[in-house]
Amino acid sequence: MRAQAEQVADGVHLVRGHHVNWVILKDGEDVSLIDTGYPGDRQGLLDSLDAVGSSPEAVTAVLITHAHNDHLGSAEYLRAAHGTPVLLHPAEVPHARRDFLQQCSIGDVVRNAWRPGVVPWAVHVVKAGGTEHNPVVKPEPFESGGALDLPGHPVPVHTPGHTGGHCVYHLPGAGVVISGDALITGHATSRVRGPQMLHGFFHHDTDRAVTSLALIAELEGDVLLPGHGPLYRGPVRAAAEQARDRAS
């Protein structure tokens, strides 16, 4: 499947790769990337930049929602090849360096292999580089407090639970929330469509992940761009509440 870039607002593009999404924020000639897909999505990532009239050299920064390989995939490549800064919440910086790892284990996958879609998903993860050791050598914390001085002017919102430093990014002017894995709309391991949470075994701290939905519900917006699944149009508050209800 070729990565598909869809413009959802002025300068905002959702790209759907293989079982994971990333977002391109474009402002004139400059762009910000939010997440980068799996390591195996690299060509798709490069193609998506070309599709919106950009290039790797034009990426001013890579923002990461959280440091799992399906979101961190090409971050170190862009940093090493083009000097692109890779920015995360301060609590997620050591995770990106792989000082520690907060993700489901092989044992978690085996114990949940009975769930529909888990085994095919796990096979894809291996093929796409999801189990590789893929650290960012020099990740950097973004500056806290309001919008970042980057294309799109995203506002980070700390939403811990999936990982300790997970962040969503709010674009108040566009009414867009980029939700990473804190709030999704579909997944290879889910038979549910629409706003939902990942299965509990994917979260480092499921209770905190559920609590963080209340933070997302407070964000003004009518477009949700998740880390997995199609975009959602409608009040972000309603999406967060639906996901919370499904998790209870």
Side-chain angles (χ1 to χ4, degrees):
M1 182 183 103
R2 184 181 175 86
Q4 301 290 321
E6 177 182 0
Q7 183 167 337
V8 300
D10 187 27
V12 182
H13 304 262
L14 175 67
V15 186
R16 299 189 66 187
H18 294 87
H19 297 305
V20 70
N21 305 332
W22 57 91
V23 176
I24 301 172
L25 305 179
K26 195 167 189 288
D27 185 359
E29 298 299 316
D30 297 325
V31 301
S32 302
L33 267 175
I34 299 182
D35 290 341
T36 65
Y38 283 97
D41 282 314
R42 181 165 304 159
Q43 190 57 53
L45 179 73
L46 299 176
D47 289 346
S48 69
L49 289 169
D50 182 66
V52 303
S54 189
S55 66
E57 294 81 5
V59 179
T60 59
V62 175
L63 288 169
I64 298 296
T65 58
H66 64 291
H68 286 164
N69 269 2
D70 56 334
H71 299 262
L72 200 66
S74 287
E76 175 60 16
Y77 162 76
L78 291 168
R79 190 203 67 81
H82 301 287
T84 312
V86 179
L87 308 177
L88 309 91
H89 186 275
E92 199 72 0
V93 166
H95 193 195
R97 284 197 304 258
R98 291 297 182 256
D99 294 357
F100 55 80
L101 189 59
Q102 295 179 340
Q103 69 177 32
C104 65
S105 66
I106 293 175
D108 291 325
V109 174
V110 170
R111 284 188 291 273
N112 286 273
W114 61 271
R115 296 182 184 273
V118 166
V119 172
W121 166 81
V123 171
H124 169 76
V125 167
V126 173
K127 290 181 177 178
T131 58
E132 295 176 3
H133 182 61
N134 187 43
V136 177
V137 175
K138 294 181 179 179
E140 303 173 42
F142 51 64
E143 295 183 5
S144 59
L148 301 176
D149 186 19
L150 295 170
H153 302 288
V155 179
V157 180
H158 186 206
T159 48
H162 185 63
T163 65
H166 188 289
C167 273
V168 307
Y169 294 96
H170 186 205
L171 310 178
V176 172
V177 174
I178 300 158
S179 60
D181 283 6
L183 173 57
I184 65 168
T185 60
H187 193 264
T189 64
S190 174
R191 293 299 177 260
V192 176
R193 296 185 179 183
Q196 61 190 282
M197 297 181 69
L198 286 162
H199 292 305
F201 73 93
F202 285 113
H203 300 301
H204 178 65
D205 186 332
T206 302
D207 289 343
R208 290 188 79 189
V210 173
T211 299
S212 285
L213 290 173
L215 301 174
I216 298 174
E218 294 175 359
L219 302 176
E220 293 293 330
D222 54 11
V223 177
L224 181 77
L225 306 184
H228 302 275
L231 73 87
Y232 169 91
R233 293 192 183 273
V236 170
R237 173 177 292 276
E241 290 175 349
Q242 183 176 358
R244 182 195 60 203
D245 292 344
R246 284 174 162 172
S248 61

